[in-house]
Protein backbone atom coordinates (compact mmCIF):
# COMPACT_ATOMS: atom_id res chain seq x y z
CA UNK A 1 0.00 0.00 0.00
CA UNK A 2 1.44 3.32 -1.07
CA UNK A 3 -0.86 5.64 0.88
CA UNK A 4 -0.35 6.35 4.56
CA UNK A 5 -4.07 6.75 5.11
CA UNK A 6 -6.08 4.18 7.07
CA UNK A 7 -9.83 3.81 6.65
CA UNK A 8 -11.51 1.78 9.39
CA UNK A 9 -14.93 0.22 8.89
CA UNK A 10 -16.77 -0.84 12.04
CA UNK A 11 -19.28 -3.53 11.13
CA UNK A 12 -18.61 -6.39 8.73
CA UNK A 13 -22.11 -6.80 7.34
CA UNK A 14 -23.35 -5.94 3.86
CA UNK A 15 -22.83 -2.16 4.17
CA UNK A 16 -19.33 -2.51 5.64
CA UNK A 17 -18.16 -5.16 3.17
CA UNK A 18 -19.54 -3.22 0.20
CA UNK A 19 -17.78 -0.10 1.46
CA UNK A 20 -14.44 -1.95 1.62
CA UNK A 21 -15.01 -3.33 -1.87
CA UNK A 22 -15.81 0.15 -3.20
CA UNK A 23 -12.78 1.80 -1.59
CA UNK A 24 -10.52 -0.53 -3.56
CA UNK A 25 -12.59 -0.30 -6.76
CA UNK A 26 -12.35 3.51 -6.59
CA UNK A 27 -8.56 3.39 -6.33
CA UNK A 28 -7.91 3.87 -2.61
CA UNK A 29 -4.46 2.43 -1.98
CA UNK A 30 -4.23 2.96 1.77
CA UNK A 31 -4.91 0.57 4.62
CA UNK A 32 -8.47 -0.79 5.04
CA UNK A 33 -9.46 -2.42 8.31
CA UNK A 34 -12.88 -4.13 8.40
CA UNK A 35 -13.97 -5.12 11.92
CA UNK A 36 -16.83 -7.50 12.65
CA UNK A 37 -18.22 -8.72 15.97
CA UNK A 38 -19.27 -12.06 14.48
CA UNK A 39 -16.85 -14.92 13.88
CA UNK A 40 -18.06 -15.29 10.28
CA UNK A 41 -16.72 -13.26 7.38
CA UNK A 42 -19.28 -10.90 5.79
CA UNK A 43 -22.42 -12.61 4.53
CA UNK A 44 -25.83 -11.84 3.08
CA UNK A 45 -28.57 -11.71 5.74
CA UNK A 46 -31.82 -12.14 3.74
CA UNK A 47 -31.18 -15.88 3.11
CA UNK A 48 -31.11 -16.46 6.88
CA UNK A 49 -34.91 -16.16 6.92
CA UNK A 50 -35.45 -17.21 3.30
CA UNK A 51 -33.41 -19.58 1.11
CA UNK A 52 -30.84 -20.72 3.65
CA UNK A 53 -33.42 -21.31 6.39
CA UNK A 54 -35.56 -23.21 3.89
CA UNK A 55 -32.62 -25.40 2.93
CA UNK A 56 -32.61 -24.11 -0.67
CA UNK A 57 -29.21 -22.40 -0.38
CA UNK A 58 -25.96 -23.88 0.88
CA UNK A 59 -23.71 -22.13 3.36
CA UNK A 60 -21.04 -20.98 0.89
CA UNK A 61 -23.61 -19.20 -1.27
CA UNK A 62 -24.43 -16.80 1.55
CA UNK A 63 -20.94 -15.29 1.95
CA UNK A 64 -20.32 -12.03 0.10
CA UNK A 65 -16.72 -12.80 -0.95
CA UNK A 66 -14.47 -15.85 -0.98
CA UNK A 67 -12.11 -15.85 1.98
CA UNK A 68 -9.10 -15.18 -0.25
CA UNK A 69 -10.71 -11.99 -1.59
CA UNK A 70 -9.75 -10.10 1.56
CA UNK A 71 -6.07 -10.97 1.29
CA UNK A 72 -6.00 -10.44 -2.47
CA UNK A 73 -7.47 -6.95 -2.00
CA UNK A 74 -5.42 -6.07 1.08
CA UNK A 75 -8.45 -5.73 3.32
CA UNK A 76 -7.61 -6.54 6.93
CA UNK A 77 -10.64 -8.49 8.13
CA UNK A 78 -10.90 -8.76 11.91
CA UNK A 79 -13.73 -11.15 12.84
CA UNK A 80 -14.98 -11.90 16.32
CA UNK A 81 -13.74 -8.49 17.48
CA UNK A 82 -15.89 -5.88 19.16
CA UNK A 83 -15.13 -2.16 18.97
CA UNK A 84 -15.53 -0.79 22.48
CA UNK A 85 -14.87 2.88 21.78
CA UNK A 86 -14.59 5.44 19.01
CA UNK A 87 -12.04 8.04 20.13
CA UNK A 88 -12.72 10.92 17.79
CA UNK A 89 -10.11 13.22 19.33
CA UNK A 90 -7.33 10.67 18.86
CA UNK A 91 -8.74 9.37 15.56
CA UNK A 92 -8.66 5.83 16.92
CA UNK A 93 -11.00 2.93 17.52
CA UNK A 94 -10.42 0.85 20.62
CA UNK A 95 -11.19 -2.85 20.49
CA UNK A 96 -12.43 -4.84 23.45
CA UNK A 97 -9.24 -5.87 25.18
CA UNK A 98 -7.55 -2.51 24.65
CA UNK A 99 -5.99 -2.69 21.17
CA UNK A 100 -6.25 0.64 19.37
CA UNK A 101 -6.26 1.28 15.61
CA UNK A 102 -5.80 4.75 14.17
CA UNK A 103 -7.97 5.97 11.34
CA UNK A 104 -7.99 8.73 8.76
CA UNK A 105 -11.67 8.15 8.06
CA UNK A 106 -14.05 5.85 9.91
CA UNK A 107 -17.31 4.31 8.77
CA UNK A 108 -19.87 3.06 11.29
CA UNK A 109 -21.93 0.25 9.80
CA UNK A 110 -22.91 -1.51 13.00
CA UNK A 111 -26.34 -2.69 11.86
CA UNK A 112 -29.16 -3.78 14.15
CA UNK A 113 -29.94 -6.35 16.81
CA UNK A 114 -33.27 -8.13 17.40
CA UNK A 115 -35.56 -6.48 19.91
CA UNK A 116 -35.90 -8.85 22.85
CA UNK A 117 -38.91 -9.67 24.95
CA UNK A 118 -38.32 -8.97 28.64
CA UNK A 119 -40.91 -11.33 30.08
CA UNK A 120 -40.95 -14.40 32.30
CA UNK A 121 -39.32 -17.40 30.69
CA UNK A 122 -37.49 -15.43 28.01
CA UNK A 123 -34.25 -17.32 28.76
CA UNK A 124 -35.73 -20.81 28.36
CA UNK A 125 -34.18 -23.17 25.84
CA UNK A 126 -36.17 -23.29 22.64
CA UNK A 127 -36.78 -19.52 22.48
CA UNK A 128 -35.10 -18.25 19.30
CA UNK A 129 -34.23 -14.94 17.69
CA UNK A 130 -32.98 -14.53 14.13
CA UNK A 131 -30.28 -12.15 13.02
CA UNK A 132 -27.06 -14.15 12.73
CA UNK A 133 -25.83 -17.19 10.81
CA UNK A 134 -25.64 -19.27 13.99
CA UNK A 135 -29.26 -18.42 14.84
CA UNK A 136 -30.46 -19.50 11.39
CA UNK A 137 -28.51 -22.76 11.82
CA UNK A 138 -30.22 -23.33 15.17
CA UNK A 139 -33.67 -22.73 13.66
CA UNK A 140 -33.00 -25.04 10.70
CA UNK A 141 -32.07 -27.78 13.14
CA UNK A 142 -35.09 -27.10 15.35
CA UNK A 143 -37.57 -27.07 12.45
CA UNK A 144 -36.14 -30.34 11.15
CA UNK A 145 -37.20 -32.06 14.36
CA UNK A 146 -40.81 -30.96 13.79
CA UNK A 147 -43.27 -30.06 16.50
CA UNK A 148 -45.27 -27.03 17.50
CA UNK A 149 -43.81 -23.66 16.53
CA UNK A 150 -45.13 -20.40 17.95
CA UNK A 151 -43.94 -17.24 16.20
CA UNK A 152 -44.23 -14.05 18.23
CA UNK A 153 -44.69 -11.12 15.86
CA UNK A 154 -46.18 -11.01 12.36
CA UNK A 155 -43.60 -8.77 10.74
CA UNK A 156 -41.29 -9.81 7.91
CA UNK A 157 -39.04 -12.06 10.01
CA UNK A 158 -42.03 -13.62 11.76
CA UNK A 159 -43.88 -14.44 8.53
CA UNK A 160 -40.79 -15.69 6.71
CA UNK A 161 -39.85 -18.00 9.56
CA UNK A 162 -43.46 -19.18 9.78
CA UNK A 163 -43.31 -20.09 6.09
CA UNK A 164 -40.04 -21.99 6.61
CA UNK A 165 -41.49 -23.87 9.58
CA UNK A 166 -44.56 -24.88 7.58
CA UNK A 167 -42.37 -26.11 4.72
CA UNK A 168 -40.50 -28.23 7.26
CA UNK A 169 -43.82 -29.75 8.33
CA UNK A 170 -44.20 -28.00 11.68
CA UNK A 171 -47.48 -26.93 13.22
CA UNK A 172 -47.32 -23.12 13.28
CA UNK A 173 -49.12 -20.46 15.31
CA UNK A 174 -48.36 -16.75 14.84
CA UNK A 175 -49.22 -14.35 17.66
CA UNK A 176 -49.47 -10.63 16.85
CA UNK A 177 -50.85 -7.77 18.99
CA UNK A 178 -51.94 -5.69 15.97
CA UNK A 179 -55.14 -6.32 14.02
CA UNK A 180 -53.31 -7.59 10.92
CA UNK A 181 -49.86 -8.92 10.06
CA UNK A 182 -47.42 -6.30 8.75
CA UNK A 183 -49.71 -3.59 10.06
CA UNK A 184 -46.94 -1.03 10.47
CA UNK A 185 -45.11 -1.90 7.25
CA UNK A 186 -48.01 -2.20 4.81
CA UNK A 187 -51.15 -1.08 6.63
CA UNK A 188 -54.28 -3.17 7.22
CA UNK A 189 -55.25 -3.68 3.57
CA UNK A 190 -52.18 -5.59 2.45
CA UNK A 191 -51.60 -6.91 5.97
CA UNK A 192 -54.92 -8.72 5.60
CA UNK A 193 -53.76 -10.15 2.25
CA UNK A 194 -50.60 -11.61 3.80
CA UNK A 195 -52.61 -13.00 6.69
CA UNK A 196 -54.84 -14.83 4.22
CA UNK A 197 -51.77 -16.24 2.45
CA UNK A 198 -50.60 -17.83 5.70
CA UNK A 199 -54.02 -19.10 6.70
CA UNK A 200 -54.26 -20.94 3.37
CA UNK A 201 -50.99 -22.65 4.27
CA UNK A 202 -52.38 -23.87 7.57
CA UNK A 203 -50.93 -21.23 9.90
CA UNK A 204 -53.03 -20.39 12.96
CA UNK A 205 -53.02 -16.59 13.21
CA UNK A 206 -53.84 -15.14 16.63
CA UNK A 207 -54.28 -11.41 15.96
CA UNK A 208 -54.89 -8.73 18.57
CA UNK A 209 -53.19 -10.98 21.11
CA UNK A 210 -50.25 -10.06 23.36
CA UNK A 211 -47.64 -12.43 24.77
CA UNK A 212 -47.18 -12.29 28.55
CA UNK A 213 -44.61 -15.01 29.21
CA UNK A 214 -43.05 -18.36 28.33
CA UNK A 215 -43.39 -21.42 30.52
CA UNK A 216 -41.46 -24.66 30.80
CA UNK A 217 -39.02 -26.61 32.95
CA UNK A 218 -35.69 -25.61 31.42
CA UNK A 219 -37.12 -25.76 27.91
CA UNK A 220 -40.10 -23.84 26.62
CA UNK A 221 -43.35 -25.80 26.56
CA UNK A 222 -45.96 -23.06 26.16
CA UNK A 223 -46.49 -19.40 25.34
CA UNK A 224 -48.69 -17.48 27.76
CA UNK A 225 -50.86 -14.82 26.13
CA UNK A 226 -53.60 -12.48 27.29
CA UNK A 227 -56.01 -14.82 25.51
CA UNK A 228 -54.76 -18.09 27.00
CA UNK A 229 -51.84 -20.49 26.73
CA UNK A 230 -50.46 -21.96 23.46
CA UNK A 231 -48.41 -25.20 23.59
CA UNK A 232 -44.98 -24.77 22.01
CA UNK A 233 -41.89 -26.85 21.34
CA UNK A 234 -40.13 -24.01 19.50
CA UNK A 235 -40.64 -20.25 19.83
CA UNK A 236 -39.40 -17.64 17.35
CA UNK A 237 -39.49 -14.02 18.50
CA UNK A 238 -39.62 -11.52 15.65
CA UNK A 239 -40.72 -8.19 17.09
CA UNK A 240 -38.45 -5.85 15.16
CA UNK A 241 -34.88 -4.64 15.32
CA UNK A 242 -32.94 -2.14 17.41
CA UNK A 243 -30.22 -0.08 15.65
CA UNK A 244 -26.78 -0.52 17.21
CA UNK A 245 -26.05 3.15 17.86
CA UNK A 246 -24.31 2.82 21.25
CA UNK A 247 -20.81 3.32 19.82
CA UNK A 248 -21.89 6.51 18.07
CA UNK A 249 -23.73 7.80 21.13
CA UNK A 250 -20.77 7.16 23.41
CA UNK A 251 -18.57 9.07 20.96
CA UNK A 252 -20.87 12.09 21.24
CA UNK A 253 -22.39 11.82 17.77
CA UNK A 254 -26.00 12.97 17.41
CA UNK A 255 -28.56 10.17 17.48
CA UNK A 256 -32.16 11.01 16.61
CA UNK A 257 -35.03 9.40 14.72
CA UNK A 258 -33.63 6.10 16.01
CA UNK A 259 -30.38 6.50 14.10
CA UNK A 260 -27.14 8.39 13.67
CA UNK A 261 -27.73 11.75 11.99
CA UNK A 262 -25.83 12.09 8.72
CA UNK A 263 -25.96 14.49 5.80
CA UNK A 264 -26.69 13.54 2.19
CA UNK A 265 -23.11 12.27 1.87
CA UNK A 266 -23.63 9.95 4.87
CA UNK A 267 -21.22 12.09 6.92
CA UNK A 268 -21.88 12.69 10.61
CA UNK A 269 -21.18 16.05 12.24
CA UNK A 270 -17.59 14.79 12.53
CA UNK A 271 -16.17 15.22 9.00
CA UNK A 272 -14.02 12.11 9.39
CA UNK A 273 -16.78 9.77 10.60
CA UNK A 274 -19.51 8.36 8.35
CA UNK A 275 -22.47 6.04 8.95
CA UNK A 276 -24.28 3.64 6.64
CA UNK A 277 -26.86 0.86 6.66
CA UNK A 278 -29.43 0.35 9.39
CA UNK A 279 -28.09 3.01 11.74
CA UNK A 280 -27.97 5.97 9.34
CA UNK A 281 -30.74 8.58 9.58
CA UNK A 282 -30.56 10.20 6.14
CA UNK A 283 -32.38 13.24 4.72
CA UNK A 284 -34.66 12.14 1.87
CA UNK A 285 -35.77 14.77 -0.64
CA UNK A 286 -38.65 12.65 -1.97
CA UNK A 287 -40.37 12.49 1.42
CA UNK A 288 -39.08 15.75 2.86
CA UNK A 289 -37.77 14.23 6.08
CA UNK A 290 -35.12 11.97 7.53
CA UNK A 291 -35.57 8.25 6.93
CA UNK A 292 -33.81 5.30 8.51
CA UNK A 293 -34.20 2.07 6.53
CA UNK A 294 -33.45 -1.38 7.92
CA UNK A 295 -33.52 -3.34 4.68
CA UNK A 296 -30.96 -5.14 2.55
CA UNK A 297 -30.99 -2.78 -0.42
CA UNK A 298 -30.18 0.19 1.79
CA UNK A 299 -27.05 -1.59 3.02
CA UNK A 300 -26.11 -2.56 -0.55
CA UNK A 301 -26.42 1.05 -1.72
CA UNK A 302 -25.30 3.11 1.28
CA UNK A 303 -22.02 1.27 1.92
CA UNK A 304 -20.56 2.14 -1.49
CA UNK A 305 -21.93 5.70 -1.30
CA UNK A 306 -20.27 6.24 2.07
CA UNK A 307 -16.99 4.83 0.72
CA UNK A 308 -17.02 7.29 -2.18
CA UNK A 309 -17.75 10.16 0.21
CA UNK A 310 -14.83 9.03 2.40
CA UNK A 311 -12.64 9.45 -0.68
CA UNK A 312 -13.84 13.02 -1.15
CA UNK A 313 -16.21 12.36 -4.03
CA UNK A 314 -19.39 14.40 -4.41
CA UNK A 315 -22.12 12.09 -3.07
CA UNK A 316 -25.85 12.59 -2.60
CA UNK A 317 -27.47 9.51 -1.11
CA UNK A 318 -31.16 9.82 -1.85
CA UNK A 319 -32.28 6.28 -2.64
CA UNK A 320 -35.89 5.18 -2.79
CA UNK A 321 -36.44 2.56 -0.06
CA UNK A 322 -36.85 -0.99 -1.40
CA UNK A 323 -37.33 -4.43 0.09
CA UNK A 324 -38.51 -7.87 -0.90
CA UNK A 325 -39.85 -11.07 0.61
CA UNK A 326 -40.35 -14.70 -0.35
CA UNK A 327 -43.05 -16.72 1.43
CA UNK A 328 -44.29 -20.07 0.11
CA UNK A 329 -44.93 -19.55 -3.64
CA UNK A 330 -45.18 -15.79 -3.19
CA UNK A 331 -42.46 -13.37 -4.21
CA UNK A 332 -42.91 -9.67 -3.55
CA UNK A 333 -40.97 -6.44 -4.16
CA UNK A 334 -41.88 -3.15 -2.47
CA UNK A 335 -40.63 0.38 -3.14
CA UNK A 336 -41.31 3.67 -1.41
CA UNK A 337 -42.14 4.72 2.11
CA UNK A 338 -44.91 6.18 4.23
CA UNK A 339 -45.17 6.98 7.94
CA UNK A 340 -48.01 5.54 10.05
CA UNK A 341 -51.22 6.96 8.60
CA UNK A 342 -49.26 8.48 5.73
CA UNK A 343 -51.55 7.33 2.92
CA UNK A 344 -55.22 7.73 2.06
CA UNK A 345 -55.99 4.51 0.22
CA UNK A 346 -54.55 1.45 -1.49
CA UNK A 347 -55.29 0.77 -5.16
CA UNK A 348 -54.72 -2.69 -6.64
CA UNK A 349 -54.50 -3.91 -10.21
CA UNK A 350 -54.46 -7.56 -11.24
CA UNK A 351 -55.53 -10.76 -9.55
CA UNK A 352 -55.23 -10.33 -5.77
CA UNK A 353 -56.82 -13.71 -4.97
CA UNK A 354 -54.51 -15.38 -7.49
CA UNK A 355 -51.44 -13.70 -5.97
CA UNK A 356 -50.45 -11.83 -9.14
CA UNK A 357 -51.03 -8.10 -8.77
CA UNK A 358 -49.73 -4.61 -8.08
CA UNK A 359 -50.69 -2.48 -5.09
CA UNK A 360 -50.19 1.27 -4.81
CA UNK A 361 -50.36 3.45 -1.69
CA UNK A 362 -51.71 6.92 -2.50
CA UNK A 363 -51.49 10.15 -0.52
CA UNK A 364 -53.95 12.40 -2.28
CA UNK A 365 -53.40 11.68 -5.97
CA UNK A 366 -49.72 10.83 -5.59
CA UNK A 367 -48.21 7.35 -5.31
CA UNK A 368 -45.90 7.23 -2.27
CA UNK A 369 -45.26 3.45 -2.29
CA UNK A 370 -46.07 0.39 -4.34
CA UNK A 371 -45.42 -3.31 -4.61
CA UNK A 372 -45.90 -6.22 -6.95
CA UNK A 373 -46.67 -9.83 -6.08
CA UNK A 374 -45.39 -12.47 -8.53
CA UNK A 375 -45.35 -10.10 -11.53
CA UNK A 376 -41.74 -10.57 -12.54
CA UNK A 377 -41.97 -9.61 -16.22
CA UNK A 378 -42.23 -5.90 -15.37
CA UNK A 379 -41.26 -6.16 -11.70
CA UNK A 380 -40.86 -3.15 -9.45
CA UNK A 381 -39.17 -0.83 -11.97
CA UNK A 382 -42.34 0.89 -13.28
CA UNK A 383 -43.50 1.46 -9.69
CA UNK A 384 -40.21 3.10 -8.76
CA UNK A 385 -40.40 5.36 -11.81
CA UNK A 386 -43.95 6.38 -10.95
CA UNK A 387 -43.02 7.23 -7.33
CA UNK A 388 -39.99 9.24 -8.41
CA UNK A 389 -42.00 11.16 -11.00
CA UNK A 390 -44.39 12.51 -8.34
CA UNK A 391 -47.07 12.66 -11.03
CA UNK A 392 -50.71 13.00 -10.12
CA UNK A 393 -52.52 9.79 -11.01
CA UNK A 394 -56.08 8.81 -11.77
CA UNK A 395 -56.94 5.95 -9.41
CA UNK A 396 -59.28 4.26 -11.89
CA UNK A 397 -56.63 4.19 -14.60
CA UNK A 398 -54.05 3.04 -12.08
CA UNK A 399 -56.26 0.07 -11.25
CA UNK A 400 -56.77 -0.82 -14.92
CA UNK A 401 -54.34 -3.55 -16.09
CA UNK A 402 -54.87 -2.30 -19.66
CA UNK A 403 -53.26 1.06 -18.85
CA UNK A 404 -49.44 0.89 -18.68
CA UNK A 405 -48.18 2.03 -15.28
CA UNK A 406 -45.88 4.54 -16.93
Amino acid sequence: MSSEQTHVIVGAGMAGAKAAETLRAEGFDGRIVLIGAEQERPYDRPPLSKGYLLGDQDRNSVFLHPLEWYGDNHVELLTGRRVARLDRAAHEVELAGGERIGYTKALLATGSSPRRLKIDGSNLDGVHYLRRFSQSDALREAFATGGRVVVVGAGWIGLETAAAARKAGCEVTVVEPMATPLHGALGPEMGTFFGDVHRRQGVDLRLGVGVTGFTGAGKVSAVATDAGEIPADIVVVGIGARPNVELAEDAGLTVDNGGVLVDAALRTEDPDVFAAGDIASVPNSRYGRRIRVEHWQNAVDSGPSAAKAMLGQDVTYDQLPYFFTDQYDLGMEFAGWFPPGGYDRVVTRGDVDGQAFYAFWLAGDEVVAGMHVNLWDDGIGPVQELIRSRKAVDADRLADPGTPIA
Side-chain angles (χ1 to χ4, degrees), residues 232-258:
D233 304 300
I234 303 161
V235 171
V236 183
V237 180
I239 56 170
R242 174 186 58 79
N244 298 325
V245 296
E246 296 84 357
L247 190 67
E249 281 186 309
D250 291 345
L253 297 173
T254 301
V255 172
D256 194 14
N257 188 39

Side-chain angles (χ1 to χ4, degrees), residues 103-159:
Y103 66 83
T104 309
K105 304 285 186 185
L107 171 61
L108 303 181
T110 45
S112 298
S113 298
R115 294 190 183 278
R116 294 188 170 265
L117 279 175
K118 298 178 180 179
I119 54 178
D120 290 343
S122 58
N123 294 322
L124 289 171
D125 288 343
V127 177
H128 297 260
Y129 291 83
L130 181 56
R131 178 72 183 179
R132 298 187 170 194
F133 225 144
S134 58
Q135 294 169 326
S136 188
D137 286 335
L139 273 180
R140 280 180 67 164
E141 183 178 343
F143 290 167
T145 65
R148 301 162 299 183
V149 177
V150 176
V151 178
V152 180
W156 297 116
I157 291 295
L159 295 187

Side-chain angles (χ1 to χ4, degrees), residues 8-11 15-16 19 105-109 266 272-276 303 306-307 310:
V8 172
I9 303 169
V10 183
K105 304 285 186 185
L107 171 61
L108 303 181
L266 299 170
D272 294 330
V273 180
F274 298 74
M310 292 166 76

Side-chain angles (χ1 to χ4, degrees), residues 176-188:
E176 165 60 47
M178 301 298 288
T180 70
L182 301 167
H183 199 278
L186 301 182

Side-chain angles (χ1 to χ4, degrees), residues 27 37 91 184 225 348 353 364:
H91 270 62
T225 78
T348 61
D353 291 338

